[in-house]
Amino acid sequence: MQGLADLSTALALCVSILMGYSEASGHERPARSVEITDFLIQSTVVSRYALTSVHSEVHNPGAESREAIFDIDLPQSAFISNFSLTIDGNIYPAQVKEKEKAQKIYDVARAGGRTAAHVATRGREADRFRVAVNVGPGGRVGFSLSYEELLPRRLGRYELALSVRPRQVVRNLTVEVVVAERTGIERVEVLPLRTSKLLSNKLKGTQDVPDSTTIERSANCARICFTPSAEQQAQFSSQGIQGDFVVQYDVNMADLVGDIQTYNGYFVHYFAPRDLPVVSKNVIFIIDVSSSMIGAKIRQTKEGMSTILSDLRTDDYFNIVTFSDIIEVWKVDHSIQATRQNVQSAKRYVNNMVASGWTDINGALRAAAKLFHGDRSPEPGGRAGGGDGNKVPLIIFLTDGEPTSGVTSTNTIVSNVKEAMGGSVSLFCLGFGDDVDFPFLQRLSLDNRGVARRIYEDADAHLQLTGFYDEVASPLLFDIQLDYLDDRVEDVTRTLFPAFFNGSELVVAGRLKGPSDGALRVRLQASGSAEALELENEIQLNGTEPGPACPQAGTRAGGFVQRLWAYHTIRELLQAQLKVDDAEGRRLLKEKATALSLKYNFVTPVTSMVVVKPGDGGEAATPAAAAPATSARSPSPTAGPAPSARSPIPSHAGQSASTPGKGASMPVALGTPTPPVPPGPPATETTPPAANVPLVHGPQPTKDAEDLLGATMLRSGELLVQPLPLLDYHDVKTDPQLDWDWPDVNTDEAHVSGFIAFDDSTSYFFSVDGDPHFVIRIPHSNETICFTVDGQADDTLRLVEDSVSGVTVDGHLEGAPVNPQHEGRPRNFFDRITVRVAGPGSGGYAVHVGREGVSLEEGKKRLAIPWEPHSVTRRPGLKLSVSRAAGASLWLGEKTGFLILLHRHAHPSPLQRDHLGFYVVQGDGLSPEARGMLGQFQHADIRLQRPSLAARRQGPDQAELRFGSHKLAVSLVTKTLKDSHLPAHEAACWLVHREDVEPLMGGPYLDYVVPRNRSA
């Protein structure tokens, strides 16, 4: 109660992101008697990564308390990295918290009548950061905000837009921008102040470069300063400067393979080749003409389409599909060439569109996909034609609403469209207006090699439409793959891209293995206008410190590559969250993004900030010493100790942080790879703080989040030597007098234990599931190998055996009826799996998993655990979570994790059997001595040598698998795999042929069969 009383006396300032909230600009303004004495924006752009700090100093010269408001527009792609208040000479830094926790504090503060604040989503292209605080008579308050963003390259330029809207004339107003680019700055320009978000405002420009702007430039560095006097601000408006200060620039890029920059063990690769010929395209425009488009929307769509059709190249092919509850295809059979006559005909067709009816999104997209399959002259590899030569297939889909006709389930539509597109068509979705289901459009695009973009209902909607088309109008390459050779990198973001468009840029970030010097061999494989492109190049690894070429950026540039990697990975995790259908999978991805956001102090859609100024008698940390209150500069950093260099996230006070396992990628489909889940930095690293503002690592994530971050796509397990006892769950008796930690039963949770959660979409390093089918992920790669072992019924197989760690895993096979189509092949499935852990004294543990339930043995004690309800059992060195939905997850310490899934058939056919699957989620705790069918691969040197891209086009995709002294021929096939928590699904894998399985396993099948006379 005392803590609550203390809280009630505190001034709580909470920052949260309220998605979907909108507030009209200008409805609330600071009182006139509160004076902004200083307003400073400093932005340093190092190799496209922008670190921006905004500092505002407010003085209340009056005799009464007044409200001061700090109001800043932020780019949508930016992550806030720090915020602090300076009150009475003391700095109160913000802490990043999980969003829900910060929201609770915010609600308590508001309910208590105290000052609160929030970050709310603004309408177009920006979020709005808004803080209000009372300033006492004669008092001063300083606001400092930092945010970070990666500037995308669009239409051949990078753009930095800084919001300068203090809402009054300011005595000292300064905007300083420093751009440092190692490869050289090709051009830099400052645009007229942008007073609105309308594209028409961007294009026209009513004046020259803002007065009092200076530009200093060298080959690698540019410094721009904007220092308008009070008189110049008053000339702009009675409220002073109210606009965006915009800098645009581009860089030199001489190397076709791009530029790689490194820092402290991390690297970033920028790929933006110039002067390549444009690849012609086959583009289908799908236009919503339902009744919701009546009026300005259909008129602006017609205007935009008229411009777009005029911009088609004569070697492009195109078609148009309009839809309401009726689907109408302009040219029914196939696309046609963009000749002058055909373009004019299409314009007349578009001009005659009439809006009416309901919205059949599913039917429209499937109709468009059918056009590609029916097109003439498809290229090898599934590239849709429409004429001679390679043509990149694109769909530009415009809608303003939700599905209301035909199939209306968005999950079903996403599945149908993905199947119809076949993985070869890029789908770009444009959501028109505020009523559109934009997350649904994002899922559609992410699943089909594209992106989604909003079209806002403004006077410039037609310019937004044509502006987006300009970005994708000129494909230069498609099916781009960037490979980093010689096993020099790990934890890399996506490296496979569906297309590269003129004026854009592809960015890959990751970690280097070994020293950050020398050279990195990069292989580029892609298709272009004429033929396949394959190129290898050695790129020298040089640090990214600006050095003497740009000394102005030196103090703020340190560590930006590592923060860029984290920024890029979080954004990809949040995108991957949209692709997951089930709530549990989305929750797990959110956990991962949250953990990484907390580590790097980023405010993202899953985290928030909170600042608490203690009142009299309150319990709070002593505030950091502030810089002089009259200073217009940002306060000096007042960070606490940096987080543990080995931990993926800051550890709890007084609690050691765990060492994570290796990071790993999610399941990957061609053209749409998803990001790795990063581990923590190595022991020699520290996490670089955001520049120029106090950094406090806020509330620590739960152990669940820490385990989750460390248990992503990890390593293998191994196998054992003893036969499994029959597990008859119904006959198991548990003595209630025995000293057990009984399971914690939680009927509300689906399948997350109190200590670990498994990601439904994570593809584990090693698994055996099915007939039995083995799946092995090649380290530091998205590639997998697969093979089948023809076991015998009633055999017990050694899956893992490690004499050093004392871990063994056995799997018992049950026979199944032979498939009449393959009478010569036995069919067997696992019906029991036992994990044993040797230990002193008590003899360790044994976990028996069967179709009826799970039991845990410790010496003579035995505990029966049913599949339902969900339960968690903890013993020293062992953590066991059991639920029917999630299976049995078993952790032995922090570095060895197994997952056993129960597969049940609701209506089994005569050939089907309920069975178990075994997955090694993390195997770092296993020693190099580990053996067994799976265990031997834990520390194995497995490599895949693929032929050139040109050779692959000549026939089936073949490769050479190198494992120890063996070199085995493997073929790329599509198999129905069970390599993750997801249901069985079709996926590509490199098949080891049956005659090569024995060399791969290092011995015959019988070497892995446990003798039947072994005791349990």
Side-chain angles (χ1 to χ4, degrees):
M1 294 298 294
Q2 179 61 41
L4 182 60
D6 291 338
L7 179 61
S8 68
T9 63
L11 168 65
L13 178 61
C14 308
V15 181
S16 62
I17 297 180
L18 306 178
M19 304 307 293
Y21 177 82
S22 179
E23 179 183 349
S25 176
H27 285 190
E28 298 185 61
R29 297 175 183 173
R32 293 181 181 276
S33 57
V34 176
E35 177 188 10
I36 301 177
T37 58
D38 301 279
F39 190 86
L40 169 67
I41 299 178
Q42 292 178 302
S43 187
T44 301
V45 184
V46 184
S47 299
R48 294 73 143 173
Y49 194 66
L51 303 100
T52 301
S53 297
V54 184
H55 181 75
S56 178
E57 198 83 28
V58 177
H59 176 232
N60 178 14
E64 298 178 354
S65 294
R66 299 288 185 182
E67 185 181 58
I69 295 178
F70 181 65
D71 195 348
I72 295 292
D73 284 350
L74 302 176
Q76 260 188 351
S77 61
F79 289 164
I80 295 172
S81 53
N82 273 292
F83 174 74
S84 66
L85 279 174
T86 304
I87 302 175
D88 298 330
N90 293 317
I91 294 177
Y92 299 95
Q95 296 180 346
V96 176
K97 289 183 177 290
E98 296 176 47
K99 191 170 182 178
E100 291 75 12
K101 292 181 180 179
Q103 185 66 48
K104 289 179 181 178
I105 301 174
Y106 174 79
D107 292 340
V108 169
R110 291 295 299 269
R114 296 182 301 280
T115 303
H118 58 260
V119 182
T121 296
R122 191 86 182 259
R124 294 185 54 170
E125 297 179 1
D127 289 334
R128 190 176 190 182
F129 181 93
R130 187 176 188 274
V131 173
V133 64
N134 287 326
V135 184
R140 292 181 180 274
V141 173
F143 302 92
S144 294
L145 173 73
S146 285
Y147 62 89
E148 303 175 24
E149 61 178 319
L150 178 64
L151 303 180
R153 187 170 185 260
R154 292 175 177 167
L155 301 176
R157 59 181 178 267
Y158 306 94
E159 180 177 290
L160 176 71
L162 303 172
S163 177
V164 187
R165 292 176 173 85
R167 302 196 181 192
Q168 61 178 265
V169 173
V170 179
R171 184 190 313 162
N172 299 314
L173 189 154
T174 300
V175 177
E176 181 185 40
V177 177
V178 174
V179 179
E181 292 288 349
R182 195 185 67 179
T183 61
I185 298 175
E186 183 178 277
R187 66 176 187 275
V188 61
E189 59 181 334
V190 178
L191 273 58
L193 286 172
R194 183 183 296 166
T195 55
S196 78
K197 301 298 181 183
L198 294 179
L199 290 175
S200 54
N201 173 263
K202 298 180 187 180
L203 296 175
K204 293 179 181 177
T206 57
Q207 61 183 39
D208 297 326
V209 174
D211 292 337
S212 71
T213 299
T214 60
I215 302 176
E216 303 170 5
R217 179 183 167 186
S218 63
N220 300 89
C221 185
R223 180 174 181 267
I224 302 103
C225 286
F226 175 50
T227 55
S229 65
E231 293 76 13
Q232 290 170 326
Q233 296 173 53
Q235 291 174 1
F236 188 91
S237 77
S238 60
Q239 291 186 318
I241 302 294
Q242 299 292 311
D244 293 332
F245 186 80
V246 181
V247 176
Q248 292 183 347
Y249 75 96
D250 200 10
V251 301
N252 299 318
M253 186 68 72
D255 196 326
L256 179 63
V257 179
D259 176 47
I260 293 181
Q261 303 191 26
T262 65
Y263 184 88
N264 199 27
Y266 289 79
F267 79 92
V268 59
H269 181 188
Y270 299 105
F271 177 77
R274 271 61 159 179
D275 302 324
L276 294 176
V278 174
V279 182
S280 59
K281 59 185 177 292
N282 183 354
V283 56
I284 296 177
F285 302 98
I286 308 178
I287 303 171
D288 187 344
V289 292
S290 61
S291 57
S292 57
M293 290 284 291
I294 292 175
K297 290 181 183 178
I298 195 69
R299 175 180 53 79
Q300 292 176 322
T301 299
K302 292 178 180 181
E303 292 177 14
M305 282 300 301
S306 178
T307 302
I308 289 172
L309 291 170
S310 296
D311 290 341
L312 288 170
R313 293 180 173 84
T314 55
D315 55 350
D316 289 335
Y317 279 66
F318 75 106
N319 208 336
I320 301 170
V321 176
T322 59
F323 73 99
S324 54
D325 48 359
I326 299 174
I327 314 298
E328 183 174 316
V329 180
W330 179 47
K331 299 298 179 183
V332 176
D333 295 328
H334 53 78
S335 298
I336 63 173
Q337 190 173 358
T339 63
R340 181 177 179 181
Q341 294 80 1
N342 288 338
V343 168
Q344 291 300 320
S345 176
K347 288 182 178 180
R348 290 191 294 271
Y349 176 79
V350 167
N351 194 52
N352 290 329
M353 293 187 307
V354 177
S356 65
W358 300 90
T359 309
D360 184 357
I361 291 176
N362 182 74
L365 288 168
R366 288 171 66 88
K370 188 176 180 181
L371 287 172
F372 286 114
H373 299 316
D375 252 344
R376 299 167 295 170
S377 303
E379 287 299 305
R383 182 67 46 195
D388 294 330
N390 280 348
K391 299 195 183 300
V392 177
L394 308 176
I395 291 178
I396 297 180
F397 172 60
L398 175 69
T399 184
D400 75 330
E402 302 175 346
T404 57
S405 178
V407 178
T408 57
S409 165
T410 55
N411 287 337
T412 303
I413 295 173
V414 169
S415 177
N416 290 346
V417 172
K418 185 175 183 179
E419 179 183 6
M421 297 294 177
S424 62
V425 180
S426 293
L427 172 61
F428 299 98
C429 295
L430 303 180
F432 201 155
D434 297 329
D435 297 329
V436 71
D437 185 351
F438 192 67
F440 165 53
L441 298 186
Q442 287 179 303
R443 290 176 61 198
L444 282 172
S445 292
L446 289 172
D447 268 355
N448 294 282
R449 301 163 57 96
V451 296
R453 189 79 60 84
R454 286 188 180 274
I455 302 295
Y456 295 93
E457 292 186 67
D458 282 327
D460 66 337
H462 64 290
L463 293 177
Q464 297 177 55
L465 181 59
T466 57
F468 175 82
Y469 172 77
D470 288 342
E471 293 181 32
V472 300
S474 302
L476 303 182
L477 297 171
F478 57 89
D479 292 339
I480 305 109
Q481 180 163 344
L482 295 167
D483 293 314
Y484 304 92
L485 308 179
D486 303 325
D487 196 27
R488 289 291 312 276
V489 303
E490 59 186 349
D491 304 326
V492 180
T493 57
R494 63 181 299 193
T495 60
L496 186 61
F497 302 90
F500 171 74
F501 298 97
N502 188 35
S504 66
E505 183 171 68
L506 306 180
V507 180
V508 179
R511 300 176 62 180
L512 293 168
K513 298 168 64 176
S516 301
D517 55 12
L520 179 62
R521 282 201 307 138
V522 181
R523 180 171 61 207
L524 163 67
Q525 298 176 91
S527 295
S529 60
E531 58 185 13
L533 174 66
E534 184 163 355
L535 180 66
E536 279 191 21
N537 199 359
E538 279 197 352
I539 300 180
Q540 292 299 316
L541 298 179
N542 299 311
T544 57
E545 297 85 352
C550 197
Q552 301 96 322
T555 59
R556 292 171 56 84
F560 92 91
V561 178
Q562 183 175 347
R563 297 187 67 82
L564 186 155
W565 168 78
Y567 169 96
H568 207 29
T569 302
I570 293 170
R571 289 187 62 83
E572 290 191 350
L573 281 170
L574 296 174
Q575 284 189 340
Q577 193 178 3
L578 295 171
K579 299 175 65 175
V580 178
D581 292 333
D582 65 291
E584 184 62 20
R586 289 193 296 272
R587 191 191 68 79
L588 294 175
L589 286 168
K590 177 183 175 183
E591 288 274 4
K592 296 173 185 178
T594 300
L596 198 57
S597 300
L598 291 169
K599 173 180 171 59
Y600 285 89
N601 218 63
F602 282 144
V603 177
T604 67
V606 294
T607 54
S608 300
M609 274 183 167
V610 61
V611 177
V612 177
K613 176 184 181 294
D616 295 337
E619 295 180 5
T622 303
T630 57
S631 171
R633 296 282 168 180
S634 299
S636 302
T638 58
S644 166
R646 292 183 62 82
S647 174
I649 46 182
S651 60
H652 294 278
Q655 178 181 350
S656 63
S658 65
T659 303
K662 297 294 182 184
S665 300
M666 301 296 195
V668 178
L670 182 62
T672 58
T674 50
V677 180
T684 57
E685 300 175 358
T686 56
T687 302
N692 263 18
V693 288
L695 174 59
V696 171
H697 295 279
Q700 311 309 324
T702 63
K703 188 64 166 63
D704 289 348
E706 183 173 348
D707 281 343
L708 180 65
L709 191 63
T712 55
M713 171 171 143
L714 307 154
R715 292 227 162 135
S716 112
E718 255 230 271
L719 90 56
L720 188 55
V721 177
Q722 295 168 353
L724 300 182
L726 288 172
L727 176 61
D728 186 352
Y729 172 76
H730 300 288
D731 292 337
V732 173
K733 305 297 183 183
T734 301
D735 185 351
Q737 302 303 316
L738 294 177
D739 183 21
W740 278 96
D741 285 341
W742 284 89
D744 305 317
V745 176
N746 185 344
T747 58
D748 295 329
E749 292 186 13
H751 61 278
V752 179
S753 73
F755 49 82
I756 184 60
F758 288 99
D759 188 340
D760 282 334
S761 60
T762 299
S763 189
Y764 305 122
F765 258 119
F766 308 105
S767 64
V768 55
D769 202 339
D771 194 17
H773 302 300
F774 289 76
V775 179
I776 309 295
R777 183 169 293 276
I778 299 174
H780 316 301
S781 167
N782 287 326
E783 307 283 4
T784 57
I785 59 176
C786 53
F787 57 93
T788 297
V789 173
D790 290 330
Q792 299 296 321
D794 207 35
D795 279 350
T796 298
L797 301 182
R798 310 173 195 174
L799 299 181
V800 179
E801 180 181 22
D802 186 8
S803 59
V804 176
S805 66
V807 176
T808 56
V809 182
D810 291 345
H812 180 266
L813 293 175
E814 178 190 60
V818 174
N819 189 330
Q821 297 180 357
H822 304 283
E823 293 184 353
R825 295 182 185 176
R827 297 178 66 246
N828 301 279
F829 300 87
F830 286 118
D831 64 340
R832 299 193 305 277
I833 290 175
T834 288
V835 180
R836 288 185 174 86
V837 186
S842 66
Y845 307 105
V847 178
H848 306 286
V849 183
R851 290 174 297 197
E852 302 82 10
V854 181
S855 73
L856 172 61
E857 293 180 356
E858 183 181 10
K860 295 182 179 180
K861 296 180 293 184
R862 194 174 193 185
L863 174 66
I865 306 172
W867 284 109
E868 290 180 337
H870 170 236
S871 63
V872 176
T873 304
R874 298 173 177 87
R875 300 298 295 153
L878 180 145
K879 306 170 184 179
L880 174 64
S881 173
V882 177
S883 79
R884 185 180 299 278
S889 63
L890 175 64
W891 278 83
L892 309 174
E894 295 181 339
K895 296 184 180 181
T896 304
F898 303 136
L899 175 65
I900 302 163
L901 294 181
L902 172 62
H903 299 290
R904 288 189 181 274
H905 299 282
H907 305 285
S909 70
L911 297 178
Q912 291 177 323
R913 290 290 184 271
D914 294 345
H915 62 278
L916 303 174
F918 177 75
Y919 299 78
V920 179
V921 180
Q922 178 161 325
D924 287 351
L926 299 175
S927 76
E929 302 300 318
R931 296 294 179 266
M933 279 187 162
L934 288 177
Q936 63 182 310
F937 296 105
Q938 168 62 40
H939 299 283
D941 181 15
I942 307 174
R943 288 170 292 170
L944 189 72
Q945 185 67 38
R946 300 186 66 178
S948 67
L949 187 60
R952 290 179 226 166
R953 294 178 176 273
Q954 305 303 316
D957 211 343
Q958 306 287 335
E960 185 180 76
L961 182 69
R962 299 181 180 180
F963 175 45
S965 61
H966 296 288
K967 296 181 180 180
L968 307 175
V970 292
S971 303
L972 186 63
V973 298
T974 299
K975 289 282 188 180
T976 300
L977 299 182
K978 297 176 182 177
D979 62 345
S980 72
H981 215 132
L982 294 171
H985 59 282
E986 288 193 347
C989 68
W990 293 95
L991 178 66
V992 180
H993 302 288
R994 289 179 180 269
E995 62 270 22
D996 291 328
V997 170
E998 185 171 307
L1000 175 68
M1001 300 300 295
Y1005 168 80
L1006 290 177
D1007 283 358
Y1008 298 94
V1009 176
V1010 179
R1012 297 181 189 275
N1013 59 357
R1014 290 280 183 99
S1015 63

